[in-house]
Amino acid sequence: MTAQLEAHDTAAPAAQWHAVCPYAQLLRERGVAALVPGAGQVAVFRLADGSVHAVGNRDPFSGANVISRGIVGSRGAVPTVASPMYKQVFDLTTGRCLDDAGAALPTYPSRVHAGVVFVAVPAG
């Protein structure tokens, strides 16, 4: 089966897209860590609805690169991930911490093309 998703493709025209992994290798409701040039470690999640989200993998509270191991869930209609360290919850669409307005994860545009997950970072 080939996924034909074009999700969260809000990258600026000068963004550089990087292939991360085959979409079929992402488990639903789980994350993986990827090393993306220009972004460092990125946590990539495939949700139950098939959408893909990419956020920074570094937990701003512990400093550890663990967000990809977090627990996927939701608060209302907002898809979230809870850090496996201290359990702060982050909005996967904006990176905003829902438990502390002063913290956030960086977010990256993502898309699936020809069965491959891509993440964008600003060019330059």
Side-chain angles (χ1 to χ4, degrees), residues 103-117:
L105 300 172
T107 60
Y108 302 95
S110 60
R111 68 181 178 193
V112 178
H113 179 70
V116 177
V117 176

Side-chain angles (χ1 to χ4, degrees), residues 27-74:
L27 299 177
R28 289 178 188 253
E29 302 292 308
R30 297 284 177 93
V32 297
L35 189 57
V36 177
Q41 289 194 30
V42 173
V44 180
F45 295 91
R46 176 182 172 186
L47 302 185
D49 66 2
S51 65
V52 175
H53 297 270
V55 297
N57 196 36
R58 186 178 173 276
D59 178 351
F61 295 95
S62 69
N65 288 304
V66 295
I67 295 298
S68 62
R69 300 301 219 172
I71 300 167
V72 174
S74 65

